Amino acid sequence: MPELIERLTAAAIDLLIALIKTPSFSREEDRTATLIFDFLAAHGAQPQRAQNNVWAVGRHYDAQKPTILLNSHHDTVKAGSTWTHDPFGAVLEGDKLIGLGSNDAGASAVSLLATFLYFHESELPYNLICAITAEEEISGANGIRSILPELGRLDLGIVGEPTQMDMAIAEKGLVVLDCVAHGKTGHAARDEGENALYKAVADIQWFQKYRFPDVSPLLGPVKMTVTQVQAGSQHNVVPDRCHFVVDVRTNELYSNQEVVQVVQQHVGAEVTARSVHLNSSRIELQHPFVQRGLSLGRKAFGSATLSDQAVMNFNTVKIGPGDSARSHTPDEFIYLSEIRAGINTYIQLLEGFRFD
């Protein structure tokens, strides 16, 4: 149905322009949620909304069938000071659409919406649910995580993020560690006190040198990076407390909780994980959806960047139009041709797809 695809593609591009023109920073996505809700309703779907998350279920939903979730996000980071275009201007230069959120992840969101609407009236061997959600950029509690219980059993997730329409079949997880080394104050002029900063340095050197033994063929090793250090109140007082932060990117061979336990066994500082729910994910190369993608010429790879895959405890593939290298950059953009190709590829991936 090429005419239907063309109509939906044009509508998707118009929606993306409207989304760009409407600021939607994380936790401030109310107006873009309304745009998405109204778009689905205008095209015959029956959208639902919880806070700033919007979703719709395919017309012929059957609880006996497996379910595929189409998901992307409509929140954005804030624009930096080095933009040369209006971040909310939705400037079109030939094939290039410039604007905040155009690439990450507006193009994926509108492409998945168009794909969902293409199949909305169809009897499929699976159910489709499309959810465009909030707070992805901050891994917020009121994003996709908050509505997953409402969606029922999910057998596969297609997560729209800019991957040049290749398939991220594994993704690194994230755990942030707050570490506190404790000492005792004393006068810096005398040999007294216990310097918490020196204790922290020893721990920081461990983080720099330690290597987790299991290395993923797709994601590489667990990577730990000390990113912040704070200690001391004044120049002549030995610090009794040193706080430092460690950014840990986990592979699928370790749970976040396992990584935290290893750290706690090796360092002297008090170690607290801010959360452990953003785990690494992986889908098997032999999964029929991955195999279908490979048959269409899409590549499979491991992704170092975090997405809402991290909170989905079912098989997921991250795939979408655009390029991750453009995300969070000045004058972010998407090519309209990428959106057209993305919609066509999503449809090709799903048309005739079966789990068995």
Side-chain angles (χ1 to χ4, degrees), residues 87-107:
F88 309 111
V91 175
L92 192 57
E93 296 180 348
D95 190 40
K96 181 189 288 189
L97 177 60
I98 302 167
L100 184 65
S102 57
N103 178 77
D104 183 17

Side-chain angles (χ1 to χ4, degrees), residues 4 10 14 17 28 45-46 71 74 102 132 134 144 168 177 214 224 270 285 296-297 317 320-321 323 344 349:
L4 176 58
D14 287 343
I17 290 170
E28 301 174 21
Q46 295 181 314
N71 169 248
H74 62 108
S102 57
I132 309 301
I144 182 67
L177 303 177
D214 295 337
M224 301 190 292
E270 175 187 345
L285 192 64
L296 292 172
V317 174
D323 188 339
N344 276 285
L349 285 165

